[in-house]
Amino acid sequence: MFFEYLPLMKSATLMTLGLAVSSLIVGLLLSTFFVVLETNKFACVRKPVSVAIALLRGLPEIIVVFLIYFGATELVEKITGEYVEFSAFGCGVAALSLIFAAYASQSLRGAIQAIPLGQWESAAALGLNRRYAFLHIIMPQVWRHALPGLSNQWLVLLKDTALISLIGVSDLMRQAELINTNTHQPFTWYGLAALIYLIITIISQVFIRKLELRFTRFERGVH
């Protein structure tokens, strides 16, 4: 009976990885966008974004998931008068991306502030505009400084995917729960889910360590 359910756990593992990686990619893009807006010189742009980030950081993750999943449907229905059911996977990615971006944007902003002003001045002296300097000179250094914080947030994101099971996505936790309902073996299936999460985490840490070493060698080569 154990081996009979393993293909389901395999599919659930792929679903969990799909959730995590999709949320990471969208979250990184959103976090960069948040940083650009939060460091804008106009207060009418900067302050609302800062408030939104503070709200996202202050709310429990599960509330954000529920607000996105149930709130999006209700909002569209009020605006258009039609009931539209959104994909649980898509809503899950949107919620996790927003949560990740709210924290990652602070890591990125701190990393940007860690870059000496002389870098900007040198770029200006070479006749480079601020956008080019930011993308090609500042950002490669920013990723080096932000990597430790982003690494931790990736590991948190990976575990937060378990919350998406509450809106019906067949991730690891959801599948373990369904199999346990049939087999009445909670220790076996929740233990297997925990082991899979642990393996993914260890692999992630090895990959992150390699990235850190690569950035360190690059930085030494530059200096």
Side-chain angles (χ1 to χ4, degrees):
M1 183 176 290
F2 177 82
F3 295 102
E4 178 183 348
Y5 290 108
L6 286 182
L8 294 176
M9 292 298 286
K10 178 184 176 182
S11 299
T13 301
L14 294 176
M15 178 64 74
T16 294
L17 286 172
L19 269 171
V21 173
S22 299
S23 301
L24 175 66
I25 293 170
V26 177
L28 284 173
L29 293 174
L30 279 175
S31 62
T32 304
F33 184 61
F34 285 169
V35 169
V36 171
L37 294 180
E38 201 175 10
T39 55
N40 194 283
K41 62 181 179 180
F42 297 108
C44 60
V45 175
R46 185 175 65 252
K47 289 184 177 179
V49 174
S50 297
V51 170
I53 291 173
L55 286 174
L56 286 169
R57 287 162 59 90
L59 290 173
E61 286 86 348
I62 189 59
I63 291 181
V64 177
V65 172
F66 284 157
L67 284 174
I68 296 293
Y69 184 63
F70 297 109
T73 298
E74 185 176 349
L75 182 63
V76 171
E77 187 175 9
K78 285 184 177 180
I79 294 174
T80 65
E82 297 182 4
Y83 178 80
V84 178
E85 186 172 354
F86 291 95
S87 160
F89 181 89
C91 290
V93 169
L96 292 177
S97 298
L98 284 171
I99 295 166
F100 177 86
Y103 289 93
S105 63
Q106 303 310 297
S107 296
L108 287 175
R109 190 176 70 166
I112 290 173
Q113 291 172 345
I115 304 299
L117 289 175
Q119 300 282 341
W120 292 100
E121 294 169 356
S122 298
L126 292 172
L128 304 176
N129 61 50
R130 282 186 68 85
R131 179 178 298 179
Y132 184 90
F134 179 75
L135 291 175
H136 297 277
I137 297 175
I138 303 302
M139 279 308 291
Q141 299 177 71
V142 166
W143 291 119
R144 167 69 180 87
H145 289 287
L147 186 59
L150 294 178
S151 301
N152 289 332
Q153 285 145 19
W154 156 252
L155 297 178
V156 172
L157 170 64
L158 185 62
K159 290 180 285 187
D160 280 349
T161 56
L163 299 173
I164 309 305
S165 64
L166 297 176
I167 59 174
V169 176
S170 295
D171 72 327
L172 267 173
M173 288 304 298
R174 175 71 172 168
Q175 198 59 254
E177 180 183 358
L178 292 174
I179 295 174
N180 173 55
T181 302
N182 290 331
T183 62
H184 303 289
Q185 296 175 327
F187 183 81
T188 298
W189 297 107
Y190 288 125
L192 179 59
L195 179 61
I196 293 172
Y197 276 116
L198 184 60
I199 291 171
I200 296 172
T201 298
I202 292 172
I203 293 172
S204 297
Q205 289 174 332
V206 171
F207 180 72
I208 289 165
R209 181 58 181 161
K210 288 184 177 179
L211 273 180
E212 289 176 345
L213 290 173
R214 184 173 181 180
F215 274 120
T216 302
R217 285 197 297 267
F218 175 78
E219 194 172 74
R220 287 174 181 172
V222 170
H223 293 297

mmCIF file of all heavy atoms in Angstrom, residues 101-138:
data_model
loop_
_atom_site.group_PDB
_atom_site.id
_atom_site.type_symbol
_atom_site.label_atom_id
_atom_site.label_comp_id
_atom_site.label_asym_id
_atom_site.label_seq_id
_atom_site.Cartn_x
_atom_site.Cartn_y
_atom_site.Cartn_z
ATOM 1 N N ALA A 101 8.040 39.230 -1.722
ATOM 2 C CA ALA A 101 8.513 40.532 -2.195
ATOM 3 C C ALA A 101 8.562 41.554 -1.066
ATOM 4 O O ALA A 101 9.456 42.404 -1.034
ATOM 5 C CB ALA A 101 7.615 41.037 -3.328
ATOM 6 N N ALA A 102 7.595 41.486 -0.141
ATOM 7 C CA ALA A 102 7.566 42.447 0.963
ATOM 8 C C ALA A 102 8.816 42.335 1.825
ATOM 9 O O ALA A 102 9.352 43.355 2.293
ATOM 10 C CB ALA A 102 6.316 42.209 1.817
ATOM 11 N N TYR A 103 9.294 41.117 2.030
ATOM 12 C CA TYR A 103 10.510 40.914 2.831
ATOM 13 C C TYR A 103 11.778 41.093 1.988
ATOM 14 O O TYR A 103 12.754 41.698 2.429
ATOM 15 C CB TYR A 103 10.495 39.522 3.468
ATOM 16 C CG TYR A 103 9.475 39.379 4.575
ATOM 17 C CD1 TYR A 103 8.196 38.904 4.322
ATOM 18 C CD2 TYR A 103 9.795 39.743 5.878
ATOM 19 C CE1 TYR A 103 7.264 38.789 5.336
ATOM 20 C CE2 TYR A 103 8.867 39.624 6.902
ATOM 21 C CZ TYR A 103 7.599 39.151 6.627
ATOM 22 O OH TYR A 103 6.666 39.038 7.630
ATOM 23 N N ALA A 104 11.760 40.543 0.778
ATOM 24 C CA ALA A 104 12.946 40.607 -0.078
ATOM 25 C C ALA A 104 13.277 42.048 -0.465
ATOM 26 O O ALA A 104 14.454 42.392 -0.617
ATOM 27 C CB ALA A 104 12.731 39.758 -1.327
ATOM 28 N N SER A 105 12.253 42.887 -0.620
ATOM 29 C CA SER A 105 12.510 44.280 -0.998
ATOM 30 C C SER A 105 13.336 44.993 0.066
ATOM 31 O O SER A 105 14.177 45.858 -0.252
ATOM 32 C CB SER A 105 11.190 45.026 -1.230
ATOM 33 O OG SER A 105 10.421 45.077 -0.037
ATOM 34 N N GLN A 106 13.131 44.613 1.328
ATOM 35 C CA GLN A 106 13.906 45.237 2.400
ATOM 36 C C GLN A 106 15.362 44.768 2.370
ATOM 37 O O GLN A 106 16.278 45.544 2.646
ATOM 38 C CB GLN A 106 13.265 44.922 3.752
ATOM 39 C CG GLN A 106 11.815 45.354 3.865
ATOM 40 C CD GLN A 106 11.585 46.798 3.447
ATOM 41 O OE1 GLN A 106 12.102 47.720 4.067
ATOM 42 N NE2 GLN A 106 10.819 47.002 2.390
ATOM 43 N N SER A 107 15.563 43.489 2.024
ATOM 44 C CA SER A 107 16.933 42.980 1.871
ATOM 45 C C SER A 107 17.629 43.682 0.717
ATOM 46 O O SER A 107 18.807 44.061 0.823
ATOM 47 C CB SER A 107 16.906 41.466 1.623
ATOM 48 O OG SER A 107 16.392 40.780 2.733
ATOM 49 N N LEU A 108 16.916 43.865 -0.394
ATOM 50 C CA LEU A 108 17.496 44.535 -1.555
ATOM 51 C C LEU A 108 17.792 45.994 -1.265
ATOM 52 O O LEU A 108 18.842 46.518 -1.651
ATOM 53 C CB LEU A 108 16.547 44.416 -2.753
ATOM 54 C CG LEU A 108 16.438 43.045 -3.414
ATOM 55 C CD1 LEU A 108 15.376 43.064 -4.498
ATOM 56 C CD2 LEU A 108 17.771 42.618 -4.009
ATOM 57 N N ARG A 109 16.871 46.645 -0.574
ATOM 58 C CA ARG A 109 17.080 48.059 -0.263
ATOM 59 C C ARG A 109 18.296 48.233 0.651
ATOM 60 O O ARG A 109 19.112 49.135 0.465
ATOM 61 C CB ARG A 109 15.832 48.663 0.392
ATOM 62 C CG ARG A 109 15.900 50.175 0.508
ATOM 63 C CD ARG A 109 14.639 50.754 1.070
ATOM 64 N NE ARG A 109 14.484 50.422 2.479
ATOM 65 C CZ ARG A 109 13.614 51.023 3.288
ATOM 66 N NH1 ARG A 109 12.815 51.961 2.821
ATOM 67 N NH2 ARG A 109 13.518 50.667 4.558
ATOM 68 N N GLY A 110 18.419 47.354 1.653
ATOM 69 C CA GLY A 110 19.575 47.405 2.534
ATOM 70 C C GLY A 110 20.872 47.148 1.777
ATOM 71 O O GLY A 110 21.895 47.780 2.046
ATOM 72 N N ALA A 111 20.815 46.223 0.806
ATOM 73 C CA ALA A 111 21.998 45.914 0.007
ATOM 74 C C ALA A 111 22.387 47.100 -0.867
ATOM 75 O O ALA A 111 23.578 47.396 -1.046
ATOM 76 C CB ALA A 111 21.738 44.683 -0.864
ATOM 77 N N ILE A 112 21.388 47.790 -1.401
ATOM 78 C CA ILE A 112 21.662 48.975 -2.225
ATOM 79 C C ILE A 112 22.312 50.067 -1.385
ATOM 80 O O ILE A 112 23.269 50.733 -1.801
ATOM 81 C CB ILE A 112 20.359 49.490 -2.881
ATOM 82 C CG1 ILE A 112 19.879 48.499 -3.952
ATOM 83 C CG2 ILE A 112 20.568 50.870 -3.504
ATOM 84 C CD1 ILE A 112 18.524 48.826 -4.530
ATOM 85 N N GLN A 113 21.803 50.237 -0.159
ATOM 86 C CA GLN A 113 22.361 51.265 0.724
ATOM 87 C C GLN A 113 23.780 50.921 1.170
ATOM 88 O O GLN A 113 24.538 51.809 1.570
ATOM 89 C CB GLN A 113 21.444 51.436 1.940
ATOM 90 C CG GLN A 113 20.098 52.063 1.583
ATOM 91 C CD GLN A 113 19.123 52.064 2.745
ATOM 92 O OE1 GLN A 113 19.322 51.371 3.748
ATOM 93 N NE2 GLN A 113 18.046 52.825 2.607
ATOM 94 N N ALA A 114 24.132 49.623 1.093
ATOM 95 C CA ALA A 114 25.484 49.202 1.481
ATOM 96 C C ALA A 114 26.524 49.514 0.404
ATOM 97 O O ALA A 114 27.728 49.455 0.669
ATOM 98 C CB ALA A 114 25.491 47.700 1.788
ATOM 99 N N ILE A 115 26.056 49.814 -0.813
ATOM 100 C CA ILE A 115 26.987 50.142 -1.894
ATOM 101 C C ILE A 115 27.512 51.564 -1.691
ATOM 102 O O ILE A 115 26.724 52.504 -1.537
ATOM 103 C CB ILE A 115 26.286 50.044 -3.269
ATOM 104 C CG1 ILE A 115 25.659 48.660 -3.466
ATOM 105 C CG2 ILE A 115 27.263 50.352 -4.388
ATOM 106 C CD1 ILE A 115 26.622 47.526 -3.429
ATOM 107 N N PRO A 116 28.819 51.771 -1.683
ATOM 108 C CA PRO A 116 29.379 53.117 -1.474
ATOM 109 C C PRO A 116 28.891 54.104 -2.538
ATOM 110 O O PRO A 116 28.728 53.745 -3.714
ATOM 111 C CB PRO A 116 30.892 52.894 -1.592
ATOM 112 C CG PRO A 116 31.091 51.436 -1.328
ATOM 113 C CD PRO A 116 29.871 50.752 -1.845
ATOM 114 N N LEU A 117 28.684 55.347 -2.110
ATOM 115 C CA LEU A 117 28.247 56.385 -3.050
ATOM 116 C C LEU A 117 29.280 56.612 -4.141
ATOM 117 O O LEU A 117 28.952 57.092 -5.233
ATOM 118 C CB LEU A 117 27.986 57.695 -2.288
ATOM 119 C CG LEU A 117 26.743 57.723 -1.385
ATOM 120 C CD1 LEU A 117 26.689 59.038 -0.618
ATOM 121 C CD2 LEU A 117 25.483 57.539 -2.215
ATOM 122 N N GLY A 118 30.517 56.275 -3.850
ATOM 123 C CA GLY A 118 31.577 56.449 -4.843
ATOM 124 C C GLY A 118 31.328 55.656 -6.118
ATOM 125 O O GLY A 118 31.808 56.035 -7.193
ATOM 126 N N GLN A 119 30.583 54.541 -5.999
ATOM 127 C CA GLN A 119 30.240 53.752 -7.184
ATOM 128 C C GLN A 119 29.369 54.566 -8.136
ATOM 129 O O GLN A 119 29.566 54.551 -9.348
ATOM 130 C CB GLN A 119 29.508 52.474 -6.759
ATOM 131 C CG GLN A 119 30.310 51.561 -5.855
ATOM 132 C CD GLN A 119 31.325 50.751 -6.631
ATOM 133 O OE1 GLN A 119 31.228 50.589 -7.831
ATOM 134 N NE2 GLN A 119 32.324 50.234 -5.936
ATOM 135 N N TRP A 120 28.379 55.265 -7.556
ATOM 136 C CA TRP A 120 27.513 56.111 -8.376
ATOM 137 C C TRP A 120 28.316 57.270 -8.983
ATOM 138 O O TRP A 120 28.132 57.619 -10.163
ATOM 139 C CB TRP A 120 26.376 56.686 -7.523
ATOM 140 C CG TRP A 120 25.373 55.688 -7.052
ATOM 141 C CD1 TRP A 120 25.293 55.110 -5.825
ATOM 142 C CD2 TRP A 120 24.277 55.146 -7.812
ATOM 143 N NE1 TRP A 120 24.227 54.238 -5.771
ATOM 144 C CE2 TRP A 120 23.585 54.245 -6.972
ATOM 145 C CE3 TRP A 120 23.813 55.342 -9.116
ATOM 146 C CZ2 TRP A 120 22.457 53.543 -7.384
ATOM 147 C CZ3 TRP A 120 22.689 54.646 -9.542
ATOM 148 C CH2 TRP A 120 22.026 53.760 -8.682
ATOM 149 N N GLU A 121 29.170 57.858 -8.168
ATOM 150 C CA GLU A 121 29.962 59.008 -8.635
ATOM 151 C C GLU A 121 30.923 58.602 -9.754
ATOM 152 O O GLU A 121 31.107 59.344 -10.715
ATOM 153 C CB GLU A 121 30.731 59.607 -7.456
ATOM 154 C CG GLU A 121 29.826 60.236 -6.406
ATOM 155 C CD GLU A 121 30.568 60.590 -5.122
ATOM 156 O OE1 GLU A 121 31.771 60.266 -5.039
ATOM 157 O OE2 GLU A 121 29.941 61.177 -4.219
ATOM 158 N N SER A 122 31.508 57.414 -9.633
ATOM 159 C CA SER A 122 32.416 56.929 -10.678
ATOM 160 C C SER A 122 31.662 56.702 -11.979
ATOM 161 O O SER A 122 32.163 57.030 -13.073
ATOM 162 C CB SER A 122 33.085 55.620 -10.235
ATOM 163 O OG SER A 122 33.864 55.821 -9.077
ATOM 164 N N ALA A 123 30.454 56.146 -11.864
ATOM 165 C CA ALA A 123 29.646 55.914 -13.061
ATOM 166 C C ALA A 123 29.267 57.235 -13.722
ATOM 167 O O ALA A 123 29.305 57.365 -14.956
ATOM 168 C CB ALA A 123 28.387 55.124 -12.686
ATOM 169 N N ALA A 124 28.917 58.226 -12.881
ATOM 170 C CA ALA A 124 28.561 59.542 -13.423
ATOM 171 C C ALA A 124 29.768 60.195 -14.091
ATOM 172 O O ALA A 124 29.643 60.835 -15.135
ATOM 173 C CB ALA A 124 28.020 60.429 -12.300
ATOM 174 N N ALA A 125 30.953 59.999 -13.494
ATOM 175 C CA ALA A 125 32.174 60.581 -14.070
ATOM 176 C C ALA A 125 32.499 59.967 -15.421
ATOM 177 O O ALA A 125 33.103 60.623 -16.288
ATOM 178 C CB ALA A 125 33.344 60.374 -13.106
ATOM 179 N N LEU A 126 32.079 58.714 -15.625
ATOM 180 C CA LEU A 126 32.297 58.044 -16.911
ATOM 181 C C LEU A 126 31.216 58.386 -17.937
ATOM 182 O O LEU A 126 31.237 57.897 -19.058
ATOM 183 C CB LEU A 126 32.338 56.526 -16.703
ATOM 184 C CG LEU A 126 33.548 55.997 -15.923
ATOM 185 C CD1 LEU A 126 33.363 54.513 -15.606
ATOM 186 C CD2 LEU A 126 34.830 56.208 -16.736
ATOM 187 N N GLY A 127 30.250 59.215 -17.520
ATOM 188 C CA GLY A 127 29.188 59.631 -18.430
ATOM 189 C C GLY A 127 28.043 58.644 -18.549
ATOM 190 O O GLY A 127 27.251 58.716 -19.495
ATOM 191 N N LEU A 128 27.942 57.725 -17.592
ATOM 192 C CA LEU A 128 26.863 56.725 -17.621
ATOM 193 C C LEU A 128 25.626 57.295 -16.931
ATOM 194 O O LEU A 128 25.733 57.943 -15.892
ATOM 195 C CB LEU A 128 27.306 55.444 -16.903
ATOM 196 C CG LEU A 128 28.598 54.792 -17.419
ATOM 197 C CD1 LEU A 128 28.967 53.603 -16.546
ATOM 198 C CD2 LEU A 128 28.416 54.338 -18.871
ATOM 199 N N ASN A 129 24.445 57.056 -17.524
ATOM 200 C CA ASN A 129 23.229 57.524 -16.863
ATOM 201 C C ASN A 129 22.902 56.623 -15.675
ATOM 202 O O ASN A 129 23.417 55.522 -15.537
ATOM 203 C CB ASN A 129 22.055 57.595 -17.852
ATOM 204 C CG ASN A 129 21.710 56.236 -18.460
ATOM 205 O OD1 ASN A 129 21.542 55.242 -17.750
ATOM 206 N ND2 ASN A 129 21.596 56.194 -19.787
ATOM 207 N N ARG A 130 22.004 57.106 -14.803
ATOM 208 C CA ARG A 130 21.716 56.392 -13.549
ATOM 209 C C ARG A 130 21.103 55.016 -13.800
ATOM 210 O O ARG A 130 21.394 54.064 -13.074
ATOM 211 C CB ARG A 130 20.771 57.229 -12.670
ATOM 212 C CG ARG A 130 21.475 58.359 -11.951
ATOM 213 C CD ARG A 130 20.535 59.060 -10.988
ATOM 214 N NE ARG A 130 20.158 58.225 -9.867
ATOM 215 C CZ ARG A 130 20.876 58.102 -8.753
ATOM 216 N NH1 ARG A 130 22.027 58.743 -8.626
ATOM 217 N NH2 ARG A 130 20.457 57.341 -7.757
ATOM 218 N N ARG A 131 20.256 54.910 -14.816
ATOM 219 C CA ARG A 131 19.621 53.617 -15.091
ATOM 220 C C ARG A 131 20.648 52.575 -15.504
ATOM 221 O O ARG A 131 20.639 51.444 -15.021
ATOM 222 C CB ARG A 131 18.553 53.769 -16.184
ATOM 223 C CG ARG A 131 17.860 52.454 -16.536
ATOM 224 C CD ARG A 131 16.790 52.659 -17.585
ATOM 225 N NE ARG A 131 15.743 53.542 -17.109
ATOM 226 C CZ ARG A 131 14.687 53.904 -17.837
ATOM 227 N NH1 ARG A 131 14.586 53.471 -19.100
ATOM 228 N NH2 ARG A 131 13.750 54.681 -17.332
ATOM 229 N N TYR A 132 21.551 52.964 -16.395
ATOM 230 C CA TYR A 132 22.595 52.029 -16.845
ATOM 231 C C TYR A 132 23.512 51.659 -15.676
ATOM 232 O O TYR A 132 23.877 50.492 -15.503
ATOM 233 C CB TYR A 132 23.413 52.665 -17.973
ATOM 234 C CG TYR A 132 24.449 51.726 -18.558
ATOM 235 C CD1 TYR A 132 24.136 50.904 -19.636
ATOM 236 C CD2 TYR A 132 25.736 51.645 -18.007
ATOM 237 C CE1 TYR A 132 25.072 50.031 -20.162
ATOM 238 C CE2 TYR A 132 26.678 50.773 -18.525
ATOM 239 C CZ TYR A 132 26.344 49.981 -19.610
ATOM 240 O OH TYR A 132 27.284 49.105 -20.119
ATOM 241 N N ALA A 133 23.892 52.667 -14.882
ATOM 242 C CA ALA A 133 24.772 52.411 -13.739
ATOM 243 C C ALA A 133 24.102 51.466 -12.740
ATOM 244 O O ALA A 133 24.746 50.561 -12.198
ATOM 245 C CB ALA A 133 25.133 53.726 -13.056
ATOM 246 N N PHE A 134 22.803 51.672 -12.515
ATOM 247 C CA PHE A 134 22.073 50.837 -11.563
ATOM 248 C C PHE A 134 22.026 49.384 -12.029
ATOM 249 O O PHE A 134 22.282 48.461 -11.261
ATOM 250 C CB PHE A 134 20.654 51.384 -11.384
ATOM 251 C CG PHE A 134 19.812 50.575 -10.435
ATOM 252 C CD1 PHE A 134 20.014 50.654 -9.063
ATOM 253 C CD2 PHE A 134 18.817 49.740 -10.914
ATOM 254 C CE1 PHE A 134 19.239 49.911 -8.187
ATOM 255 C CE2 PHE A 134 18.043 48.989 -10.049
ATOM 256 C CZ PHE A 134 18.245 49.078 -8.673
ATOM 257 N N LEU A 135 21.723 49.175 -13.318
ATOM 258 C CA LEU A 135 21.545 47.820 -13.837
ATOM 259 C C LEU A 135 22.868 47.075 -14.004
ATOM 260 O O LEU A 135 22.943 45.870 -13.740
ATOM 261 C CB LEU A 135 20.798 47.862 -15.178
ATOM 262 C CG LEU A 135 19.323 48.286 -15.126
ATOM 263 C CD1 LEU A 135 18.760 48.394 -16.536
ATOM 264 C CD2 LEU A 135 18.507 47.294 -14.305
ATOM 265 N N HIS A 136 23.898 47.780 -14.446
ATOM 266 C CA HIS A 136 25.141 47.100 -14.827
ATOM 267 C C HIS A 136 26.282 47.213 -13.815
ATOM 268 O O HIS A 136 27.236 46.435 -13.883
ATOM 269 C CB HIS A 136 25.617 47.637 -16.182
ATOM 270 C CG HIS A 136 24.664 47.355 -17.299
ATOM 271 N ND1 HIS A 136 24.632 46.159 -17.977
ATOM 272 C CD2 HIS A 136 23.667 48.118 -17.849
ATOM 273 C CE1 HIS A 136 23.685 46.190 -18.910
ATOM 274 N NE2 HIS A 136 23.086 47.362 -18.851
ATOM 275 N N ILE A 137 26.184 48.170 -12.905
ATOM 276 C CA ILE A 137 27.267 48.347 -11.935
ATOM 277 C C ILE A 137 26.781 48.069 -10.499
ATOM 278 O O ILE A 137 27.410 47.313 -9.762
ATOM 279 C CB ILE A 137 27.856 49.769 -12.021
ATOM 280 C CG1 ILE A 137 28.482 49.987 -13.409
ATOM 281 C CG2 ILE A 137 28.888 49.994 -10.915
ATOM 282 C CD1 ILE A 137 28.977 51.393 -13.651
ATOM 283 N N ILE A 138 25.659 48.674 -10.153
ATOM 284 C CA ILE A 138 25.169 48.559 -8.776
ATOM 285 C C ILE A 138 24.504 47.204 -8.514
ATOM 286 O O ILE A 138 24.809 46.536 -7.516
ATOM 287 C CB ILE A 138 24.187 49.698 -8.453
ATOM 288 C CG1 ILE A 138 24.858 51.064 -8.689
ATOM 289 C CG2 ILE A 138 23.691 49.572 -7.015
ATOM 290 C CD1 ILE A 138 26.105 51.294 -7.882
#
